[in-house]
Every structure is written in C-alpha cells, then in structure tokens.
C-alpha cells in the first residue's frame, strides 16, 4: 500500500528503534529565505540538540529547515546530545487531500512532536561525536538517490565525553592541529564515512551559558576549523556552515555538564583565522597602533604595557598549550651597518621574549632569533618588525 493510501497521518516515533519506511519525494520543493536569499533544500534532516545546563540554544534558529522537511513530507530525526545520546523520529506527512488541512496537520505534528518534544538531557555531560554518528546512522534509511539529507547541529561544540572531549589534552591539542586526532579516530575505526549526510548546518558554535565560559574568538574559530576538518575527513561533500545561535536561557533541572576551561587561542584578525601550528604573525611599527615599537637605535620597547597588551593573546595561548613552542624573529630596516643591525635585531627579539617570559610563559617555549636588516616591505616602519612563528 502506498504512503498516501494509508488514510491517516503518518507519524512514526521510533525512539531507539530502526526504520524501514522509504524516504520522501525527491522533487524540487526547496524554500527560499527572503532575508538571506538562501535556498534551503532538504528532504530529510537530523537535528543534534539538547536542553542542557550549559546550553544557550533553542530550536527557533533552525525552524526553516523544519519547514523544508514539512514541504517535502520528509523524515525528521532528533538526536538528544547528552552523555549517552538517544534519538526519536517523526515523519512530517499527511494523506489529507485538502491542501489547507494537510498543511495544518503537518504543522501540528511539527509543533507537538518536534518543537514541543522532549529535548531534555537525561544523563550528565555531552558526547557530541556519538550524537553525530547516531544522526548519520538514522539518515541511512533515507539515503536513496535524489534525497537530500541535512544534519543540523544546535550546540556550543564543547563536548565533554566520548572520543571528542575537551576535558582531555588530545582534543584540546586538536584545535591547533586537527589532523592528529582525526587520523587517530580513522586508524581506530571510530571515524567512518558519513555517507548519509549531504550538508551540515551548525548553530551556536562557541555560545554558552551558566558556568561554562564562552571561548575567545580565536578558540571559537579554531573549533570551526576542527569540526570542518572532521566532516571533510568523513566525506561530507556539501560542506559545513556555521551560524549564530538563539542565545536562549538555559533549561533548569536538567543533568549537569562539566564546565571546561577552554584553551585560549590567538586570533589573526587580518586573515580571520586562529593561530595554529605553522602560522606566523608580524608586528611592525604600524600594526596594533604601533604597540610593539622600539626606541631609536635601541632594544628598549617604547611602551612596554602596550606591547604586553598586543601580545596578550599569544602569551595566553602559550600558557594554555605547554607543549607549544614559538620563534620570535627580530628585524631592522637597512639603515646603518649590516652587522650592527644583526646584533640589534637579536637584542630586540630577546626583549620581546623577556616580556613574554615575565608574563608567565616558560622560557623553554620561546626561541629568539635576530634576522638582521630586511627590505621586504616598502617602508622602514614595516621592515622594523617582530615576527612570531608557531612551531
């Protein structure tokens, strides 16, 4: 018997049960978002979300995706991302022939079973990787050609349990070098191809509430890089898009989540990226409002407090990543004797290193190198610079 011949609203609440129902139509029933010009096209979707003690999110940010599923009479999977993720599913469909009554019936399903559903965490902590894997497994029932399956994540991304766990050093280090943890997951067989996810939309990455402090801008950007690399490694060809969350108040009376002291990562505003291994940042006499500037023909900083403020994020990053090492390269302009300039550049690199050590960075993490005179840039103000390279 066909789906439309059932004569009743098709509602399937499976909890932990598997599904054998065929997917929805693959015809083009996309939704055009007037505010952004974006076209949402999806037949089925899995939402990873939970009402938790440290969550500042709700479902309102992603309601357009529910509308797209409803328009396609598709399947919705909810994966509650707590310490032991669990799932339920709903088919947003009706066999009602009258268009207005059909739309009303489906809207009622959406309001009651999804928006009004039980999204409360049941166990402590959050195992986000397990929740994502469960979402892919659920969508496997509807991965037929022509179907477009979207994974929607509404979460801060600060997972505290399982294989991606920011209370552990391996995950924290992955913010600087994602490939190491991803390779470990692949070699252990824990990271398989997400063959049933065509696209990922993530709301509220880095947005927290309660006792969980929000990560700084560089760390949030590093989390983007890490999760993007994870989904790419898992074969998600449609990419991942990050969007702001709702900022809703956290739910009371739900299991707790450990507050994580997220590592601080410097942010490269010029290139909109976090400072990671292999990256470098330059401070010349023009950048940072001339914060790192030396007195004429001297290794004395013109304004030590301004220099410390300009280097603050890099200092914090070194403190939070004890195994991270950097090289401080000093440069001068081409005025004067080359051998004298080489010595001056070394002394200036030493001065920056001394400032960072005085701020709490172990000396063993910093190497100061005098590079001598340089004419890379057009102006002397740019050539007189200090460069920090993460190694």
């Amino acid at each position: 018997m066909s789906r439309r011949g059932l004569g009743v609203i098709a509602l399937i609440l499976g909890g932990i049960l598997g599904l054998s129902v065929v997917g929805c139509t693959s015809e083009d029933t996309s939704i055009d978002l007037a505010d952004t010009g974006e076209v949402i096209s999806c037949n089925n979707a899995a939402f990873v979300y939970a009402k938790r003690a440290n969550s500042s999110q709700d479902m309102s940010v992603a309601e357009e995706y529910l509308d797209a599923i409803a328009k396609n009479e598709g399947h919705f999977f909810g994966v509650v991302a707590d310490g032991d993720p669990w799932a339920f599913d709903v088919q947003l469909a009706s066999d009602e022939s009258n268009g207005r009554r059909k739309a009303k019936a489906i809207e009622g399903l959406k309001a009651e079973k999804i928006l009004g559903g039980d999204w409360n965490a049941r166990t402590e902590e959050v195992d986000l990787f397990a929740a994502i894997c469960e979402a892919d497994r659920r969508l496997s029932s509807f991965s037929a050609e022509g179907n477009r399956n979207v994974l929607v994540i509404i979460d801060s991304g600060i997972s505290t349990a399982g294989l991606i766990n920011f209370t552990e050093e391996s995950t924290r280090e992955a913010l600087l070098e994602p490939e190491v943890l991803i390779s470990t997951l692949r070699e252990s067989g824990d990271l398989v191809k997400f063959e049933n996810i065509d696209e990922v939309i993530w709301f509220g990455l880095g947005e927290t509430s309660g006792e969980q402090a929000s990560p700084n801008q560089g760390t949030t950007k590093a989390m983007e890089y890490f999760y993007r690399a994870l989904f790419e490694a898992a074969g998600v060809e449609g990419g991942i898009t990050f969007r702001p969350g709702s900022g809703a108040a956290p739910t009371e009376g739900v299991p707790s989540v450990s507050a994580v002291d997220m590592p601080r990562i410097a942010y490269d505003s010029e290139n909109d990226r976090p400072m990671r291994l292999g990256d470098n940042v330059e401070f010349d006499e023009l950048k940072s409002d001339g914060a790192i500037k030396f007195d004429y023909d001297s290794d004395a900083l013109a304004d030590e407090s301004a220099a410390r403020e300009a280097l603050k994020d890099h200092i914090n990053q070194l403190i939070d990543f004890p195994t991270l090492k950097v090289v401080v390269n000093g440069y001068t302009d081409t005025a004067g004797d080359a051998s004298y300039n080489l010595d001056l550049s070394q002394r200036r690199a030493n001065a920056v290193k001394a400032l960072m050590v005085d701020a709490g960075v172990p000396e063993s993490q910093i190497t100061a190198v005098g590079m001598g005179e340089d004419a890379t840039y057009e102006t002397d103000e740019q050539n007189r610079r200090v460069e920090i390279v993460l190694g």
Side-chain angles (χ1 to χ4, degrees):
M1 181 179 296
S2 69
R3 185 180 64 196
R4 296 183 181 276
L6 290 174
V8 293
I9 293 174
L11 168 62
I12 305 170
L13 294 174
I16 311 297
L17 301 177
L19 297 175
S20 59
V21 183
V22 295
C24 60
T25 177
S26 62
E27 64 185 71
D28 183 13
T29 50
S30 57
I31 289 181
D32 188 357
L33 296 185
D35 291 342
T36 64
E38 176 192 359
V39 175
I40 292 179
S41 177
C42 68
N43 301 99
N44 312 292
F47 277 42
V48 171
Y49 167 65
K51 294 180 179 180
R52 298 194 308 268
N54 69 339
S55 172
S56 62
Q57 310 301 329
D58 62 25
M59 297 281 290
S60 64
V61 290
E63 198 163 348
E64 294 90 349
Y65 288 88
L66 295 179
D67 292 339
I69 303 167
K71 192 172 183 179
N72 277 321
E73 295 190 74
H75 276 84
F76 171 89
F77 299 90
V79 182
V80 181
D82 57 13
D84 186 17
W86 53 279
F88 64 91
D89 51 83
V90 178
Q91 185 178 3
L92 289 173
S94 168
D95 75 327
E96 177 61 62
S97 59
N98 180 277
R100 183 175 296 179
R101 284 194 289 268
K102 176 194 284 284
K104 185 176 180 181
I106 292 176
E107 186 66 22
L109 283 174
K110 185 183 79 172
E112 177 187 358
K113 302 300 181 181
I114 299 177
L115 296 177
D118 180 12
W119 289 95
N120 286 345
R122 296 178 180 176
T123 61
E124 295 183 353
E125 306 303 343
V126 49
D127 188 343
L128 195 54
F129 184 68
I132 292 169
C133 291
E134 177 64 14
D136 178 69
R137 188 183 73 80
R138 292 282 171 155
L139 287 168
S140 65
S141 300
F142 306 98
S143 57
E145 184 176 353
N147 278 351
R148 183 165 181 79
N149 296 334
V150 175
L151 172 62
V152 176
I153 303 174
I154 308 173
D155 197 272
S156 70
I158 303 177
S159 184
T160 62
L163 297 173
I164 296 178
N165 181 349
F166 283 100
T167 68
E168 297 180 351
E169 284 302 314
S170 59
T171 303
R172 297 161 72 87
E173 294 286 345
L175 294 176
L176 297 181
E177 197 172 17
E179 295 76 16
V180 174
L181 178 57
I182 289 172
S183 295
T184 300
L185 293 175
R186 185 185 290 114
E187 291 168 4
S188 65
D190 293 301
L191 179 61
V192 297
K193 290 292 183 182
F194 292 154
E195 297 178 342
N196 310 299
I197 299 172
D198 297 306
E199 182 183 6
V200 180
I201 308 296
W202 195 312
F203 293 94
L205 184 74
E207 299 177 21
T208 64
S209 65
E211 296 182 0
Q212 178 61 60
S214 295
N216 69 10
Q217 188 173 10
T219 302
T220 300
K221 185 62 69 171
M223 292 170 70
E224 283 189 19
Y225 275 50
F226 168 71
Y227 282 115
R228 191 182 303 279
L230 179 72
F231 281 107
E232 287 177 355
V236 177
E237 297 181 355
I240 177 170
T241 303
F242 295 96
R243 295 181 179 157
S246 65
T251 301
E252 297 182 358
V254 292
S256 63
V257 178
S258 296
V260 180
D261 187 13
M262 291 292 286
R264 296 165 292 183
I265 295 178
Y267 176 65
D268 180 358
S269 59
E270 188 173 335
N271 297 293
D272 187 30
R273 67 182 187 185
M275 290 292 296
R276 303 189 304 161
L277 294 181
D279 289 343
N280 68 288
V281 61
E282 294 180 348
F283 295 91
D284 59 41
E285 293 185 359
L286 302 178
K287 292 180 179 178
S288 301
D289 296 322
I292 301 181
K293 184 176 182 179
F294 294 91
D295 292 336
Y296 176 74
D297 194 26
S298 170
D299 59 5
L301 287 159
D303 188 337
E304 188 170 315
S305 61
R308 187 187 297 267
E309 179 64 24
L311 293 168
K312 179 180 66 175
D313 289 342
H314 303 278
I315 291 168
N316 290 338
Q317 184 168 352
L318 286 165
I319 291 172
D320 289 354
F321 291 95
T323 61
L324 178 63
K325 297 185 184 299
V326 297
V327 176
V328 177
N329 293 322
Y331 295 86
T332 70
D333 58 32
T334 57
D337 180 72
S339 60
Y340 177 83
N341 286 338
L342 178 63
D343 177 69
L344 178 60
S345 68
Q346 180 66 59
R347 288 187 282 119
R348 287 179 171 176
N350 290 342
V352 172
K353 174 181 177 179
L355 183 150
M356 298 175 78
V357 170
D358 184 64
V361 180
E363 188 173 355
S364 60
Q365 288 181 253
I366 309 172
T367 300
V369 178
M371 304 297 290
E373 58 186 39
D374 185 77
T376 300
Y377 298 104
E378 293 182 0
T379 68
D380 287 343
E381 289 84 0
Q382 290 173 291
N383 290 320
R384 293 192 294 266
R385 68 190 188 278
V386 171
E387 178 186 54
I388 297 177
V389 182
L390 276 68

